[in-house]
Amino acid sequence: VIYISEYVRNKYKFEKKGIKEYVVYPSVIDKIPKTEFSEKENIIVTVSRIATEKKLEKLITITENLPYKHYLIGFSTDKPYTEKLKLLLKNTTLILDASEEVKNNYLRKAKIFLNTSENEPFGLVLIEAMSHGAIPIAHNSGGPKEILPENFLYSNEDDAKALIIKYMTNYNENIFNELREKAKNFTKEKVEQKLYEAVFSTFSNP
């Protein structure tokens, strides 16, 4: 059995003897994109499916009075919730059903990527953000807790706001390069290698 994170493994663990279990983090990136540090702007981006479980209403408190532009690139699956967010998110520009090109253009310019959901199984878009050199600020739970540095994780909206201000102020080329280097550990090539190792281990040591 292959799980996409330790969080998922612990949540759905098979209680059966003789089953081999592995954790292999997934990926959506073939390679690190050609993003330049000089392209970065003081903007925050959130990419999310628009659904109540994503807890996007947290953006109301987090973005309030911040001196930075925030963009929510949303994929609408819940029309009433989408309409509610349109009314409540006063400091957010909502971009619905964007193409991959548009999404990547915003990630390329963003210094901060803000994730609002809790107990995410993994968080693929966090890796995409890092590959563009955007600092991923995420809730201290689920898969993100495993793959992100502790200093990028928040417990509540006030924590998230403080982290955004801190890293927007201190963002530099070293951080940009470190994030992109870390994202290399999550390319499809790395995933295929880990899957091969899991399969080889299973069948060579039954």
Side-chain angles (χ1 to χ4, degrees), residues 34-41 105 108-110 176:
K34 293 181 179 179
T35 300
E36 301 293 336
F37 175 71
S38 59
E39 297 178 273
K40 290 299 180 183
E41 300 176 15
N105 282 341
R108 188 165 58 245
K109 293 187 291 184
F176 171 81

Side-chain angles (χ1 to χ4, degrees), residues 25 49 56 71 77 80 88 91 104 108 121 144 152 169 173-174 185 200:
Y25 296 128
R49 181 168 51 86
L56 291 163
Y71 298 90
T77 57
L88 295 175
N91 303 306
N104 289 328
R108 188 165 58 245
F152 291 166
T169 303
E173 194 163 4
N174 285 337
N185 295 320
F200 181 80

Side-chain angles (χ1 to χ4, degrees), residues 102-118:
V102 169
K103 180 192 73 174
N104 289 328
N105 282 341
Y106 278 96
L107 290 177
R108 188 165 58 245
K109 293 187 291 184
K111 289 183 179 178
I112 303 289
F113 179 87
L114 175 60
N115 197 52
T116 58
S117 58
E118 299 175 12

Side-chain angles (χ1 to χ4, degrees), residues 76-161:
S76 181
T77 57
D78 184 332
K79 188 172 182 180
Y81 186 56
T82 301
E83 294 303 315
K84 176 183 175 181
L85 289 175
K86 284 180 180 178
L87 294 173
L88 295 175
L89 294 176
K90 305 298 184 183
N91 303 306
T92 295
T93 299
L94 180 57
I95 303 169
L96 289 175
D97 303 322
S99 66
E100 280 292 303
E101 182 180 5
V102 169
K103 180 192 73 174
N104 289 328
N105 282 341
Y106 278 96
L107 290 177
R108 188 165 58 245
K109 293 187 291 184
K111 289 183 179 178
I112 303 289
F113 179 87
L114 175 60
N115 197 52
T116 58
S117 58
E118 299 175 12
N119 296 313
E120 281 270 23
F122 179 68
L124 287 167
V125 74
L126 297 172
I127 305 302
E128 287 187 273
M130 284 197 295
S131 74
H132 286 282
I135 296 174
I137 305 298
H139 190 264
N140 188 18
S141 62
K145 187 176 180 178
E146 299 172 33
I147 61 173
L148 298 182
E150 186 177 353
N151 50 316
F152 291 166
L153 302 172
Y154 66 86
S155 298
N156 55 54
E157 287 90 326
D158 289 338
D159 287 346
K161 180 175 287 191

